[in-house]
Amino acid sequence: MLSALDDAAVGQWCRAAVAGLSEGRGRLDDLNVFPVPDGDTGTNLLATAQAALAALEESGEGAAEPAWAVLARGAVLGARGNSGTILAQLLRGLADQLADVPPADGPAFAAALQKAADTAYAAVADPEEGTFLTVARGGAEAAVAAVAAERTPLADVVRAAADGARTALEATPGQLAVLRDAGVVDAGGAGLCLVLDALVTTVTGVEPARPSLARGRVGGPRRGHDPDRDLPSQPPAGPGSEVQFLLTDSDEAAVARLHERLAALGDSLVVVGADTPTGREWNVHVHVSDVGAAIEAGIEAGRPYRISVTPLAPVRPPAPTPGARAVVAIVPGDGLAALFTGESARVVPGGPDDVGEDDVLAAVLGSGAAEVVVLPNDPALTAPASRAAERAREEGRDVVVVPTRCPVQGLAALAVADPTRRFGDDVVSMAEAAAATRWAELTVAEQEALTTAGRCRPGDVLGSAEGDVVLIGREPAAVAGELLDRMLSAGGELVTLVVGPDAALGDAVCAHLATAHPTVEVARYDDGPGGIPLQVGVE
């Protein structure tokens, strides 16, 4: 049982980590779906740990330089891939805290691990929760909590760190949708758990007993999971190539500019620095579509070398599940998105300025269903939805676009959807329900214009029915009341209201309906999109 981590213990840990990652590499590669499902997380983590071990072995026993510093430099210069680069940053963070102090006891290691987790977050341009970083933070916080609870021996601290990381790992599917949909935990976080378990074995001499890391097994089924309903999905395709290089002959200011430029070019950006005998060097990792621009940015920042460019594996959609059916709805606003999701639709958030055919195609293919109905919910989105449907048919899906012109028509279509019916009959029912829903909305004029109801001025409230302006006024409640009176003059049994940010407007409209149309049923939904005070559907 070790009471502190000296240079010899650091070397033992590194060898144990290499052994653990070597044994687990295949399982980690199989878990890899984020940031891209290219199946190499285990391979990259192992290569990074092997580079750290090679540096230690090359320095030899009794080297003047602390083992922590040698380990970190080897990991940084030999890091591969997104997870490998983050692991290198974590090791460098530990070295920054422990290389120039006496052998690390429990409290010292806990504090260093917390600092290392914080610096790892800072090294990633756009950190996501449910990833390697989350697991690192979970382990660090558990180690610090153990010390605070006066469990200060090194063995207790490293056990707490490993257990805390494993607990955080189990929670990752609930934090990142792509993990949840694929039924896996984060691969990089799982690799870090193996590294921390290797530390427990080094310190205590006893290997922790852990459940398998096999796909779909770690963490068990999520709450509410129904394997007959929940269909697997993949993330949409990202930038096309992984670019990684070492950078020398640079400085912190130039690297900061490089970081900013690469963040604008792509994603999965990690930049980690290490001190070497010839000066400071950086390991740069990024996913980009423009490889040349990324390399040019490196040349402007210093001297890049050992440049590698790896095409990212194309994201293949899951094979459609025979007989499975899904509804994909394009929906503006978080409140409406939650409403459609609650009705079992797969939501593409946004409006005409935000959503293109690729977004719709990704949602259709990602549903995993063989039969899909698309609800565009805006006239301007019918064309891109139809193009996406045509492309999805080439992938073997049966896709139909029901040309809903507003969200209330989409809700009407969803209300009659019945997956037990023949697909064609279900599409007809949904289309008839949408067509039978007359729709209207209130908007606020942003500039002077000539409308079908006359000239409007900025700030005027416009009442539109079926896309044509029919009323102009100054008071939203008054315009809404008159608009509903006109619509209900032709009859109607159900009025659906989607109220924007002004809840008082919804209250006023409901009060008007209760007085002027007491026999009409009213369904009200709040949290509509901010730019539309009120949307109305009449059936």
Side-chain angles (χ1 to χ4, degrees):
M1 188 81 70
L2 299 179
S3 60
L5 292 172
D6 57 14
D7 282 2
V10 171
Q12 292 170 21
W13 177 27
C14 191
R15 283 187 285 274
V18 167
L21 290 171
S22 180
E23 181 182 353
R25 176 177 60 178
R27 297 193 299 273
L28 296 174
D29 285 346
D30 186 51
L31 292 173
N32 177 201
V33 298
F34 181 85
V36 290
D38 46 4
D40 63 359
T41 291
T43 300
N44 289 338
L45 286 171
L46 176 60
T48 303
Q50 287 174 329
L53 180 59
L56 282 172
E57 291 178 340
E58 183 178 350
S59 70
E61 293 185 9
E65 195 173 12
W68 283 112
V70 176
L71 172 85
R73 183 171 64 248
V76 169
L77 299 183
R80 280 179 46 185
N82 188 68
S83 292
T85 309
I86 297 174
L87 174 62
Q89 172 62 56
L90 194 70
L91 294 174
R92 198 206 99 177
L94 286 172
D96 287 346
Q97 303 301 309
L98 301 175
D100 298 322
V101 299
D105 59 8
F109 179 78
L113 187 61
Q114 180 69 74
K115 184 66 175 178
D118 293 341
T119 57
Y121 263 92
V124 177
D126 189 15
E128 293 259 13
E129 292 302 331
T131 62
F132 189 119
L133 296 172
T134 308
V135 176
R137 183 177 60 196
E141 290 177 347
V144 170
V147 173
E150 299 185 356
R151 292 164 45 217
T152 58
L154 180 63
D156 289 345
V157 171
V158 297
R159 283 195 197 98
D163 292 345
R166 181 63 66 135
T167 298
L169 176 70
E170 299 280 356
T172 56
Q175 298 170 300
L176 203 56
V178 64
L179 303 179
R180 180 194 65 228
D181 292 345
V184 298
V185 295
D186 179 68
L192 177 60
C193 286
L194 294 182
V195 171
L196 290 175
D197 282 348
L199 178 59
V200 173
T201 303
T202 299
V203 171
T204 68
V206 179
E207 182 178 353
R210 303 293 190 191
S212 168
L213 289 174
R215 175 182 284 264
R217 296 183 60 86
V218 174
R222 64 187 185 276
R223 180 175 297 181
H225 174 69
D226 179 350
D228 295 324
R229 281 182 58 93
D230 293 344
L231 300 167
S233 68
Q234 293 277 17
S241 297
E242 177 186 65
V243 177
Q244 190 158 12
F245 55 84
L246 297 179
L247 182 71
T248 188
D249 295 344
S250 188
D251 56 34
E252 297 288 349
V255 170
R257 292 192 296 271
L258 172 65
H259 196 280
E260 183 177 350
R261 182 164 177 193
L262 292 180
L265 287 173
D267 58 18
S268 297
L269 172 61
V270 189
V271 180
V272 184
D275 292 322
T276 73
T278 58
R280 193 162 181 78
E281 296 190 20
W282 288 264
N283 191 319
V284 180
H285 171 279
V286 67
H287 292 174
V288 294
S289 56
D290 190 341
V291 173
I295 296 175
E296 287 175 5
I299 293 172
E300 291 177 4
R303 183 173 66 84
Y305 72 100
R306 205 187 298 170
I307 299 170
S308 68
V309 178
T310 306
L312 296 173
V315 179
R316 297 300 304 165
T321 303
R325 191 173 302 171
V327 177
V328 171
I330 307 172
V331 183
D334 293 340
L336 279 176
L339 181 58
F340 275 80
T341 300
E343 296 295 327
S344 300
R346 296 180 66 91
V347 167
V348 180
D353 295 333
D354 312 307
V355 177
E357 65 180 275
D358 288 343
D359 303 304
V360 181
L361 178 65
V364 170
L365 299 181
S367 74
E371 300 167 342
V372 183
V373 176
V374 180
L375 305 176
N377 294 329
D378 189 300
L381 288 168
T382 299
S386 298
R387 292 193 296 269
E390 184 63 32
R391 291 167 62 187
R393 293 184 197 109
E394 296 173 359
E395 297 284 347
R397 271 54 166 189
D398 190 357
V399 185
V400 176
V401 177
V402 174
T404 50
R405 296 169 61 81
C406 64
V408 289
Q409 286 190 330
L411 288 171
L414 267 179
V416 301
D418 184 354
T420 65
R421 278 195 296 242
R422 194 174 67 86
F423 182 54
D425 294 338
D426 202 30
V427 169
V428 169
S429 295
M430 294 176 72
E432 289 177 343
T437 302
R438 288 168 287 144
W439 63 280
E441 63 184 16
L442 294 192
T443 55
V444 178
E446 296 181 354
Q447 59 188 12
E448 185 174 351
L450 184 62
T451 75
T452 52
R455 186 171 297 277
C456 68
R457 297 169 298 168
D460 279 347
V461 179
L462 309 181
S464 302
E466 306 291 332
D468 290 327
V469 177
V470 296
L471 290 170
I472 300 174
R474 298 301 294 179
E475 296 296 330
V479 175
E482 187 176 348
L483 184 63
L484 281 163
D485 290 342
R486 291 193 182 195
M487 296 183 71
L488 289 169
S489 66
E493 299 176 352
L494 172 65
V495 172
T496 301
L497 304 175
V498 177
V499 183
D502 185 4
L505 174 61
D507 295 339
V509 172
C510 287
H512 174 80
L513 288 170
T515 302
H517 307 279
T519 62
V520 173
E521 182 182 353
V522 179
R524 171 180 172 174
Y525 303 102
D526 291 322
D527 298 323
I532 305 177
L534 181 69
Q535 297 179 69
V536 177
V538 175
E539 301 176 53

